[in-house]
Amino acid sequence: MNAAAFAAFAPFTLLGVVTIAVMLLIAVRRNHHLAALSTIAGLLLCCIALPLAAPAAPIAVTPLFVVDGSVIFYAGLVLGSALVVAILSYAYLGGPEQGPREEYYLLLLTATLGAALLPASVHFASFFLGLETLSISLLGLIAYASPREESAEAGIKYLILGGASSAFLLFGMALIYADLGTMSFTQIGVLTRAGNPHDLFRLVGTAMILTGVGFKLSLVPFHMWTPDIYEGAPAPVTAFIAVVSKIAVFSVILRYFILADGQAGASLRAGLSMIAILSMLGGNLLALMQNNVKRLLAYSSIAHLGYLLVAFLAGGALGNEAAAYYLAAYAVTSLGAFGIVAQLSTPGAGRDADRMEDYHGLFRTRPFLAGSLALMLLSLAGLPPTMGFIGKFYLVASGVGAGLFWPVAALVLGSVIGIYYYLRVLVAMAMPVPAARSAAPPATAPLFGNVVIGVLLALLLMLGTYPAPAIALIRLTAGAVAG
C-alpha cells in the first residue's frame, strides 16, 4: 500500500484503532460514562478525518477496496449517523437499572466499522466480510442492555433470518464465481459484457444475491422480520438498523450493479420494478393498521426503501444524485424520529414509548419533542418545507426521466397513503393529556439528546428550504462510482 492509498484509507484505519482502544479501555476499567464518551469522541474524530482524507481521484487501496468520492459521501453518512446513535444511546442507557453497558459501545463500533467498509467494497470477499461484521454486531445490539423479553426474542429472530439471508447471499456469490472465475465487481462486469447475457449460473446467482440483499434492506417480500425487530430492539438500536445498515447495504449493492453491469438485464429490471412497487404499496398499506409507533415506522421504512429503488432503477447521474440525496434525507428524518422515541422512553420500565397512547397530549407536556416529531413525520410524508419533499421530488424527476412510469405512479400513490398514518401520530399528540400523566410531574429528557434532535431538525429544515449545498456536495462526491 503506497502513501496515497494509506492516507485515503486512514479514517477506516482510525475507526479500527478506536474500536480496539475502547475494548482495551473496558478491560482496564468498567465505566459507562468513560466508554460512551470515548466512543463518541472516536466517531467524531473519524467524521473529521474522512473529508480530510478524500482523494482527488479514485484510489485502489487493495484489490478489495476502492476509495472515491461516493465512498467519502456514504461512509460519511454512516459515521455521522453512528455518532448520533452513540449520543442517543448514552442518554437512553443512563439509568443504573440497565446493568453492564460498556460492551454495548464496543458492539456499536464494530457494527459501524463493518458498515463503513461496505461503500468501499469492490470484491465479494470484502462485501461479505463487511456485511457479516455489521450483522453479527447488530445481533448483539438488538438483545443487549435491555431487560425486556421482546429484545431477546428479536435477537433470536434476527439470528435465524439473518443466517438464512447470508446463506442466500453467499451461495449467489459462489454461483457467479463458478461461472466467471472472479469475485471482483469490475471483472464481473467485463466478463458479463463479453459473454452470454442469459447465462443460467449468473442469473440464478444474481437472483440469490438480491434475495439476501432484499432481507437486509427489508424489501417486499423479504420484509416480515422488520416490524418485530424494530419493536423489540432498544430505540437507539432501531435507529441504527433503520439508517446505518440500510445506507451501507444500499451503497455497496449500487456499486456492484453499476460495475458488474447488473442493471442492463431487462428481466432483472422488471423484477426490481415489481419489488419496488410491492414495497411502496405494501409498506404503506400495512402501516395503516398499526397502533405501535415503532412498528408503524418499520413498515414506513419498507416503503421508503421501495422509493429508493426508483432512483436505483433510473441510474445515470440523476439517479445517483437522487439516491444519495434521498438517503441523506431519510437518515436525518429517521434518526430524528427514533431519537425522539428514545428520548421519551424509560428503559427501566421494561418498554419503549412506542404505543400510540404514550403520545397523547405531547404537544402540551413536551412541546419541543412533539414539534420536532411532527416535522420529522411531515418529512417522511414528503411534505414541504423538509428534506423529504426535496428527496421525493428528486426521485420522481429521475424516475420520469428514465421512463419508469409504473414505479413513479406507485411512489405517488404510496406517498398519499402515507400521509394518513403519519397524521394519526400528530392527532394523538394533540389529544388531551391522560389523567394519570397529568397528575405526575413533567418528565425531562437528557439535554444532549435534545441538542442532537435540535441539530437534526435544523438540518431537516435548512436543507429542505435551501438544498443547494447538499446537492453540490453530492455532485462533487457521490455523482459517480469508480471501480
Side-chain angles (χ1 to χ4, degrees):
M1 184 186 299
N2 58 36
F6 181 82
F9 207 67
F12 306 95
T13 305
L14 176 61
L15 182 56
V17 171
V18 168
T19 305
I20 295 171
V22 171
M23 179 178 64
L24 295 174
L25 184 65
I26 294 170
V28 172
R29 182 183 179 189
R30 300 190 64 87
N31 184 287
H32 173 227
H33 303 292
L34 189 59
L37 294 177
S38 300
T39 300
I40 293 168
L43 288 171
L44 183 60
L45 281 176
C46 293
C47 290
I48 295 170
L50 194 65
L52 296 178
I59 292 180
V61 180
T62 71
L64 305 184
F65 297 104
V66 166
V67 177
D68 61 6
S70 68
V71 171
I72 299 299
F73 179 81
Y74 288 117
L77 280 183
V78 165
L79 291 171
S81 301
L83 176 61
V84 171
V85 171
I87 297 171
L88 293 173
S89 299
Y90 181 46
Y92 183 88
L93 300 174
E97 67 278 355
Q98 292 299 307
R101 293 155 289 180
E102 292 80 12
E103 287 82 3
Y104 173 93
Y105 298 98
L106 182 58
L107 290 169
L108 185 65
L109 284 170
T110 54
T112 305
L113 179 61
L117 290 174
L118 282 176
S121 299
V122 289
H123 195 279
F124 279 152
S126 54
F127 179 6
F128 189 75
L129 288 174
L131 188 61
E132 287 306 291
T133 302
L134 168 63
S135 299
I136 293 171
S137 302
L138 274 180
L139 170 64
L141 286 171
I142 290 168
Y144 190 86
S146 177
R148 299 176 299 154
E149 293 182 2
E150 292 89 345
S151 294
E153 179 185 341
I156 293 171
K157 288 179 179 178
Y158 193 82
L159 170 65
I160 296 169
L161 295 173
S165 73
S166 296
F168 274 103
L169 192 67
L170 196 58
F171 195 47
M173 293 175 179
L175 287 175
I176 293 177
Y177 178 70
D179 182 43
L180 300 177
T182 182
M183 291 189 287
S184 166
F185 295 174
T186 305
Q187 288 301 311
I188 289 171
V190 171
L191 295 173
T192 298
R193 287 185 286 270
N196 177 14
H198 304 295
D199 184 272
L200 182 60
F201 270 33
R202 188 159 63 252
L203 290 175
V204 174
T206 302
M208 297 189 79
I209 288 174
L210 283 177
T211 300
V213 169
F215 170 87
K216 303 298 183 183
L217 295 177
S218 61
L219 295 166
V220 173
F222 316 107
H223 67 288
M224 298 305 293
W225 64 275
T226 313
D228 291 340
I229 302 301
Y230 277 42
E231 182 183 9
V237 177
T238 307
F240 191 94
I241 298 169
V243 176
V244 176
S245 67
K246 303 293 177 64
I247 292 171
V249 174
F250 183 84
S251 64
V252 70
I253 205 66
L254 177 65
R255 182 180 292 272
Y256 170 71
F257 275 95
I258 290 175
L259 297 181
D261 204 30
Q263 292 166 307
S267 59
L268 178 61
R269 290 180 64 83
L272 285 173
S273 295
M274 184 58 64
I275 289 174
I277 292 170
L278 290 174
S279 297
M280 288 184 275
L281 297 181
N284 282 308
L285 290 172
L286 289 168
L288 289 174
M289 301 179 286
Q290 302 305 314
N291 290 315
N292 183 292
V293 173
K294 287 171 76 175
R295 292 181 73 88
L296 183 150
L297 292 173
Y299 283 116
S300 169
S301 74
I302 295 169
H304 283 281
L305 267 295
Y307 300 153
L308 198 57
L309 281 185
V310 175
F312 180 82
L313 288 165
L318 183 59
N320 289 343
E321 286 178 23
Y325 188 91
Y326 198 79
L327 270 177
Y330 173 76
V332 170
T333 307
S334 295
L335 286 171
F338 284 112
I340 292 165
V341 174
Q343 288 287 92
L344 295 171
S345 300
T346 51
R351 67 176 185 86
D352 287 341
D354 51 7
R355 298 182 303 188
M356 200 68 76
E357 51 265 33
D358 293 330
Y359 294 80
H360 288 180
L362 201 63
F363 276 117
R364 293 177 177 83
T365 58
R366 309 284 284 277
F368 171 71
L369 292 180
S372 300
L373 182 57
L375 287 168
M376 298 296 172
L377 294 175
L378 291 178
S379 180
L380 288 172
L383 298 177
T386 63
M387 288 184 74
F389 172 74
I390 303 296
K392 282 191 178 173
F393 183 84
Y394 234 139
L395 293 182
V396 171
S398 65
V400 171
L404 302 171
F405 299 114
W406 285 110
V408 169
L411 189 157
V412 173
L413 179 59
S415 298
V416 172
I417 296 170
I419 292 172
Y420 173 77
Y421 60 79
Y422 292 128
L423 288 178
R424 284 183 59 211
V425 183
L426 269 65
V427 169
M429 292 192 294
M431 293 179 70
V433 183
R437 210 181 327 144
S438 62
T444 57
L447 176 61
F448 38 86
N450 282 346
V451 170
V452 169
I453 300 299
V455 171
L456 293 172
L457 184 62
L459 284 174
L460 188 78
L461 295 175
M462 286 168 52
L463 297 179
T465 53
Y466 184 61
I471 294 172
L473 176 64
I474 289 167
R475 288 177 177 170
L476 182 66
T477 57
V481 173

